[in-house]
Amino acid sequence: MRFGLQTCPVTKTTCIVVVEVEQDSERTVMGVIADAVNQVIDLAPKDIEEPPAFGTRVRLEYLFGMGKLGKKFALILNIDSVLSNTELLTVSTLQAEAVDARGEAGENSGDSLEA
């Protein structure tokens, strides 16, 4: 959805990818839903090139580079750019609401135990 592509239903190949994002000089760990993960690889810095200036549907500011996988290439997302402050603010708000809801549930359950 972030890239304006068609929304896919959740299937058995849907994954949560755990990422670390920088927000206001702090690192935040969060999960991002992906349609599927085909492979996880380690790339040496020498295997990462500058992002291509053309030929991709992804905006260049979202790209960190292009990884060489033998004769194939993979685009490497700059997760800090992909998840802008707007998305991170939404996550922070949802986290705060969840904590508040848990706190209220705990208070209510404590009240009912006393009654």
Side-chain angles (χ1 to χ4, degrees), residues 8-28:
C8 294
V10 174
T11 67
K12 65 181 182 177
T13 62
T14 302
C15 300
I16 297 176
V17 178
V18 178
V19 296
E20 200 174 30
V21 185
E22 186 165 331
Q23 178 184 22
D24 298 328
S25 301
E26 291 186 26
R27 301 302 289 174
T28 301

Side-chain angles (χ1 to χ4, degrees), residues 58-101:
V58 180
R59 293 180 13 201
L60 288 178
E61 63 264 21
Y62 293 155
L63 295 178
F64 175 78
M66 186 170 59
K68 294 185 290 185
L69 309 166
K71 293 183 180 182
K72 297 181 180 181
F73 293 92
L75 297 176
I76 302 170
L77 294 177
N78 180 337
I79 200 68
D80 293 327
S81 297
V82 171
L83 299 177
S84 67
N85 284 334
T86 303
E87 284 85 6
L88 295 174
L89 241 142
T90 301
V91 169
S92 296
T93 301
L94 291 173
Q95 285 175 336
E97 289 173 1
V99 168
D100 289 345

